[in-house]
Amino acid sequence: MKKRKLKKKVLLIIIIILFAIICFFVGKRIYIKLNTFNVKVVDEIKGYSYSLDDRDTDLYKSYFNELKSVLSQGEIDYEQYALIISKMFIIDLYTLENKVNKYDIPSLEFVYPSARDNFKLKVQDTLYKYIEDNTNKKRSQTLPTVKSIENKEIESGKFKIGDNSYDAYIVKLSWDYETDLGYDNNGTVTVVKDDKTLYVAEYANK
């Protein structure tokens, strides 16, 4: 009797372990599928992590070309650099139409490295939370596309990250959409300078 009970317990444990392993691999496969996006890089800026994808809008492309020109100069105009990446950050973030799903998080190349994981989670749980998956190109959902953007104000200052204080630019922007769906249309982007590269350290809407 005791042996039968022991065999049943062992069998149950084996079944639970097998089920857990199956769930792990199925979950991993789904995660990889949801986080894999077929995007073709059509241009890059040497010495920086900035790239242009085939799905980027014409507005984004125009600012990418401006950025490429600014960064190719012998002496970089950092205020102009800050203004351009602030605009590109907003255009990419609020153009949801070209994103595959909620996991297709944009603008990461502009975000300060140590803040990227938190930024991804925040966007997934808020702005991108209800994006329908478009892996099979069958999405019927209407999503916003930024059609124009302008700066209201830019000023220099300091911004602290951890124990370090960085030179910063505070950029106030407003933007319009091809179709107004009630999304944010103004905000403030704080950009910090770390060595020769600028990063978005903070973004506040309205």
Side-chain angles (χ1 to χ4, degrees):
M1 194 65 145
K2 288 183 178 180
K3 287 185 177 180
R4 285 183 181 179
K5 286 184 178 181
L6 182 61
K7 285 182 179 180
K8 284 182 179 180
K9 285 183 179 180
V10 172
L11 183 60
L12 182 60
I13 291 170
I14 292 172
I15 290 172
I16 291 172
I17 292 172
L18 288 173
F19 180 74
I21 292 172
I22 291 169
C23 287
F24 172 78
F25 283 106
V26 170
K28 186 177 180 180
R29 187 172 180 179
I30 292 172
Y31 177 83
I32 291 172
K33 184 178 180 181
L34 290 172
N35 286 271
T36 302
F37 314 108
N38 295 317
V39 177
K40 182 181 179 182
V41 175
V42 296
D43 200 359
E44 295 177 307
I45 299 178
K46 290 182 179 179
Y48 297 85
S49 61
Y50 310 125
S51 62
L52 184 67
D53 300 339
D54 58 350
R55 66 173 176 178
D56 286 324
T57 64
D58 289 339
L59 181 64
Y60 187 91
K61 289 175 184 175
S62 68
Y63 284 111
F64 178 87
N65 290 329
E66 279 190 35
L67 179 61
K68 194 172 185 179
S69 176
V70 168
L71 296 180
S72 67
Q73 303 301 313
E75 187 173 339
I76 295 173
D77 182 339
Y78 278 95
E79 184 171 301
Q80 189 64 16
Y81 178 8
L83 179 59
I84 294 171
I85 67 164
S86 296
K87 289 181 175 181
M88 293 174 72
F89 171 82
I90 292 295
I91 293 167
D92 203 15
L93 180 63
Y94 282 96
T95 297
L96 279 65
E97 177 59 35
N98 63 4
K99 305 307 184 292
V100 177
N101 54 40
K102 65 176 285 186
Y103 302 102
D104 189 3
I105 304 301
S107 304
L108 289 177
E109 59 203 291
F110 303 115
V111 177
Y112 193 80
S114 64
R116 286 174 186 167
D117 288 342
N118 186 55
F119 174 75
K120 283 179 69 175
L121 291 174
K122 187 174 181 179
V123 173
Q124 286 173 6
D125 291 340
T126 54
L127 184 60
Y128 281 41
K129 187 173 183 178
Y130 298 107
I131 294 180
E132 295 174 3
D133 186 77
N134 196 35
T135 304
N136 297 319
K137 311 291 184 181
K138 293 181 180 180
R139 183 167 62 203
S140 58
Q141 184 182 24
T142 301
L143 294 169
T145 297
V146 177
K147 73 172 182 179
S148 63
I149 188 167
E150 61 180 76
N151 62 300
K152 297 294 185 181
E153 184 182 333
I154 181 170
E155 59 183 45
S156 58
K158 291 287 185 179
F159 189 84
K160 198 169 183 180
I161 301 176
D163 295 327
N164 299 317
S165 181
Y166 296 88
D167 291 330
Y169 297 92
I170 298 89
V171 186
K172 294 182 179 179
L173 300 165
S174 64
W175 54 93
D176 294 310
Y177 299 95
E178 290 184 2
T179 302
D180 188 356
L181 300 171
Y183 286 78
D184 301 322
N185 58 13
N186 63 82
T188 301
V189 180
T190 300
V191 176
V192 297
K193 183 175 183 289
D194 188 357
D195 195 15
K196 69 171 186 176
T197 306
L198 297 184
Y199 298 98
V200 173
E202 185 177 71
Y203 166 62
N205 55 17
K206 299 182 179 180

